[in-house]
Amino acid sequence: MPTYKAPLQDYRFILHELLEIGQYSALPGFADAQEDVVNAILEEAAKLSEEVLQPLNQIGDEEGCTLENGEVRTPKGFKEAYQTLVEGGWPALTADPNYGGQGLPNTLAVMFNEMVSSANMAFGMYPGLSHGAYSALINHGADELKDRYLPKLVTGEWTGTMNLTEPHCGTDLGLLRSKAVPQGDGSYKISGQKIFISAGEHDLAENIIHLVLARIEGAPEGVGGISLFVVPKFLVNDDGSLGARNGVRCGSLEKKMGIHGNATCVLNYDDAVGWLVGAENKGLRAMFTMMNEARLGVALQGLSQSEAAYQNAADYARERLQGRALTGPKEETKPADPIIVHPDVRRMLMNARAFNEGARALLAWTALQGDLTHLSSDEKQREFGEDMMSLLTPVLKGYFTDKGFANAVDAQQVYGGHGYIDEWGMGQFVRDARIAMIYEGANGIQALDLVGRKLAQNGGRAVFAFFKLIDEELAALEGQGDLAFAAAPLKEAKAQLEEATTWFMENALKNFDHAGAGSSDYMHLFGLTAIALMWAKMARISAAKAKTGGAEAEFYKNKLITARYYMERVLPETGAHLARIKTGADSMMALAADAF
């Protein structure tokens, strides 16, 4: 059976040394995030993930969810685990204290969420979606809706969902048909069908708060006529108690490739009572608050499956005896050497490790920018944070999930034939990771969003700010000969990213297909470069710390080794991406459609 161990030392390094979150102690939320408190939270989160959630991961995959008479039952142990989560106050970690939350920064929450998802991705989706519903309501809901729904969403007594997709429309939400009929008392009757609704029905909580996109009768066609509604599974009385069952039912459970422990539902709305969130016909704006948060959560899922798969593959490689090292036996008293001596096994493990540690740093750095956007009193800092969140969200969602899946496949490959056998659990990481490339906007859509919208936003302000960040890091590396391995490749990657950006600016407007043809390569080029920036920062810190010796010197030395591997063996991929981008769309679009 697979195992999981939370990388606590890496979390502490990122929070306290790379990000230095202590410098923000004057800001709300960060004031309570003192180093000893943060470390204690991380340790308790690790216990929950390792001891409660991880043992249920394979069970959830094998049992899945069941539907009986419209009611969904989650796999054995999930309900008790969820109660443990609630009793520990984990759903309230970053929520507003006015509604019972602890008000801690989201920078800390991404660490917690990575642990939960690494231990049990399907389980982690239940509280993850609830927090997304919380975010949409607290940012766009009227006070009455907040007072009615947020306190129990914050405690986790109730869970939440997001309802966008319909059988005939996914990405193109302008085609949706679900309708909302005003009732004259401020409520609406919602009718329609939604599909692929994660956590849409289950037995973990007493109520489920659905956020549903629908079109009010007479509203304009297209996305300009979509509104957002809160539709509870059970109506909520004025005193907060539960009332009658609302007109929303689970029609079926999807039979799917992975995340079997999460209920993916078809939900049928039949005159279900709902209330408007935000303004009429402005539902997409409100829902995108939830979707952008969800996209970062999905990026985290890509990282989490890469981490869990890597840990198990590394353990297996140290133990599995097979053949002899190319340079001569390493374990002469044994009949064969462990496969970790073989360079190609090392290649797969090092690719995953270098991604995991770099991606984790980039995710936490991006989450910090989001926190500063909301909490800082410095207008320029808020603007910079908002720019980075907007620019990097599609990069993280698309690149992290592409690489997370690829690393899970490589980790499975390390096992050889055993990787294909269910009892070893590696197939589950591959199958679970696969969905992250698809939902919350397929990765091709993320790439188009990056190239088609984010680059030109505010006259390119965000991407030029990102280039400046790299220049500042290169200046910090200048003159440090022992870090030349980081400086030169980062400088080259930045030049290639700039060249690709300029190429789009000069060619995409002449032929929009050029943007589409190169968008996925650009997203990967950007992801590689952004992680390289984090590795340069981590190498600079680690080089200084490794020289001081001490008990943790080995940790910093390993950071430097992994940084060098990333710069020398991974980052050169940027050149191939640039070359493909510059070929444009001509050969890609040349075949007639009926020739395929």
Side-chain angles (χ1 to χ4, degrees):
M1 176 179 287
T3 60
Y4 169 69
K5 191 74 175 174
L8 292 177
Q9 191 171 17
D10 209 31
Y11 292 146
R12 291 192 293 265
F13 170 76
I14 290 170
L15 291 173
H16 304 312
E17 298 180 65
L18 176 65
L19 303 183
E20 297 181 298
I21 63 169
Q23 67 183 296
Y24 305 108
S25 59
L27 299 179
F30 284 96
D32 296 322
Q34 301 300 315
E35 185 169 345
D36 58 340
V37 174
V38 166
N39 292 345
I41 290 171
L42 292 174
E43 288 168 8
E44 289 303 312
K47 290 179 185 176
L48 173 72
S49 300
E50 296 166 5
E51 299 172 11
V52 178
L53 302 182
Q54 194 280 330
L56 298 175
N57 195 36
Q58 207 163 12
I59 293 171
D61 184 55
E62 293 169 355
E63 290 188 7
C65 297
T66 57
L67 174 65
E68 299 175 9
N69 301 319
E71 303 293 332
V72 172
R73 301 281 178 260
T74 52
K76 180 174 62 181
F78 271 46
K79 190 171 184 178
E80 293 77 11
Y82 186 77
Q83 190 58 38
T84 300
L85 183 90
V86 170
E87 289 172 356
W90 295 106
L93 194 66
T94 61
D96 190 333
N98 291 320
Y99 298 99
Q102 298 172 40
L104 288 166
N106 191 49
T107 310
L108 175 59
V110 297
M111 307 293 188
F112 169 68
N113 291 331
E114 187 203 328
M115 285 188 246
V116 170
S117 188
S118 295
N120 194 324
M121 177 172 156
F123 178 92
M125 292 170 67
Y126 293 102
L129 286 158
S130 299
H131 191 77
Y134 157 87
S135 296
L137 281 172
I138 200 163
N139 283 293
H140 302 283
D143 288 342
E144 182 183 353
L145 293 181
K146 294 179 187 178
D147 293 341
R148 186 173 294 257
Y149 296 109
L150 288 186
K152 291 196 175 181
L153 276 175
V154 166
T155 62
E157 293 172 79
W158 298 349
T159 64
T161 71
M162 54 192 297
N163 286 229
L164 293 81
T165 307
E166 298 183 2
H168 59 283
C169 71
T171 301
D172 190 354
L173 289 170
L175 299 175
L176 71 79
R177 297 172 185 158
S178 293
K179 66 177 183 178
V181 181
Q183 298 301 294
D185 61 355
S187 69
Y188 294 76
K189 290 289 184 71
I190 313 294
S191 297
Q193 186 179 78
K194 299 289 184 178
I195 64 170
F196 305 158
I197 308 306
S198 302
E201 173 62 36
H202 56 77
D203 59 354
L204 302 184
E206 62 182 6
N207 204 7
I208 303 173
I209 311 305
H210 302 291
L211 289 186
V212 184
L213 289 179
R215 197 182 305 278
I216 298 172
E217 281 191 326
E221 293 297 313
V223 295
I226 297 174
S227 299
L228 180 65
F229 301 88
V230 57
V231 184
K233 173 182 174 180
F234 287 96
L235 298 173
V236 180
N237 298 320
D238 290 340
D239 63 359
S241 63
L242 296 184
R245 178 72 185 259
N246 207 352
V248 52
R249 296 278 179 174
C250 178
S252 65
L253 286 175
E254 304 288 358
K255 294 181 180 179
K256 54 191 190 293
M257 180 178 175
I259 53 168
H260 295 153
N262 195 270
T264 306
C265 302
V266 174
L267 291 183
N268 297 318
Y269 289 84
D270 185 9
D271 283 343
V273 183
W275 288 266
L276 186 67
V277 178
E280 287 187 10
N281 305 327
K282 301 295 183 183
L284 272 190
R285 178 173 173 269
M287 184 60 89
F288 264 104
T289 297
M290 191 173 184
M291 287 183 69
N292 283 331
E293 179 171 310
R295 284 169 177 168
L296 289 175
V298 173
L300 183 148
Q301 289 178 337
L303 166 60
S304 75
Q305 297 313 284
S306 178
E307 174 67 28
Y310 160 77
Q311 286 190 18
N312 285 277
D315 288 344
Y316 182 84
R318 283 192 296 264
E319 297 169 4
R320 174 68 171 178
L321 301 180
Q322 192 83 22
R324 287 296 188 184
L326 298 175
T327 53
K330 304 302 180 188
E331 300 280 352
E332 293 186 0
T333 61
K334 296 179 180 179
D337 288 328
I339 62 172
I340 201 164
V341 303
H342 302 307
D344 198 59
V345 171
R346 290 290 190 108
R347 172 186 63 83
M348 292 184 282
L349 294 176
M350 286 299 293
N351 282 347
R353 180 183 179 125
F355 168 79
N356 294 345
E357 294 182 19
R360 180 176 297 121
L362 180 59
L363 180 66
W365 184 88
T366 305
L368 175 61
Q369 305 316 308
D371 280 329
L372 296 177
T373 299
H374 298 297
L375 301 173
S376 177
S377 59
D378 184 325
E379 185 176 344
K380 286 195 172 182
Q381 192 173 57
R382 291 199 307 272
E383 179 183 273
F384 176 79
E386 187 173 354
D387 283 348
M388 291 302 101
M389 283 286 287
S390 177
L391 177 68
L392 292 175
T393 292
V395 175
L396 268 60
K397 194 283 180 185
Y399 184 66
F400 281 24
T401 58
D402 279 352
K403 293 302 294 182
F405 175 73
N407 289 339
V409 171
D410 273 353
Q412 185 184 38
Q413 185 75 10
V414 169
Y415 278 71
H418 289 305
Y420 203 66
I421 304 301
D422 284 345
E423 69 179 272
W424 291 86
M426 300 307 290
Q428 183 184 354
F429 296 130
V430 172
R431 290 183 286 104
D432 286 357
R434 188 64 185 87
I435 184 58
M437 300 162 70
I438 298 171
Y439 58 17
E440 304 309 333
N443 285 357
I445 300 297
Q446 303 301 322
L448 279 175
D449 178 45
L450 174 64
V451 171
R453 293 181 62 246
K454 300 302 173 61
L455 289 186
Q457 211 166 47
N458 298 311
R461 187 178 70 199
V463 73
F464 290 125
F466 181 78
F467 292 150
K468 184 181 178 183
L469 272 180
I470 299 178
D471 288 336
E472 290 170 352
E473 182 58 33
L474 289 171
L477 292 169
E478 194 170 347
Q480 299 192 45
D482 56 344
L483 292 175
F485 73 84
L490 178 60
K491 185 176 182 179
E492 183 178 2
K494 186 232 177 184
Q496 291 168 331
L497 183 60
E498 285 182 314
E499 186 176 350
T501 305
T502 301
W503 191 91
F504 280 127
M505 291 177 177
E506 293 175 349
N507 293 277
L509 290 179
K510 300 175 187 175
N511 181 352
F512 292 146
D513 280 343
H514 287 323
S519 58
S520 287
D521 278 297
Y522 186 81
M523 179 179 71
H524 278 241
L525 172 53
F526 210 122
L528 284 159
T529 307
I531 289 177
L533 172 61
M534 293 298 117
W535 269 121
K537 290 177 178 293
M538 291 190 290
R540 186 161 45 83
I541 295 167
S542 297
K545 292 292 182 73
K547 292 173 183 174
T548 63
E552 295 190 340
E554 197 69 21
F555 172 84
Y556 297 113
K557 290 177 182 177
N558 289 339
K559 277 285 180 198
L560 286 168
I561 291 169
T562 310
R564 180 183 289 273
Y565 180 88
Y566 184 87
M567 295 299 189
E568 292 180 353
R569 299 279 306 189
V570 179
L571 192 56
E573 294 172 15
T574 55
H577 291 299
L578 175 62
R580 286 195 288 263
I581 288 167
K582 291 169 65 177
T583 64
D586 292 347
S587 62
M588 188 176 291
M589 305 304 292
L591 273 180
D594 58 7
F596 283 87

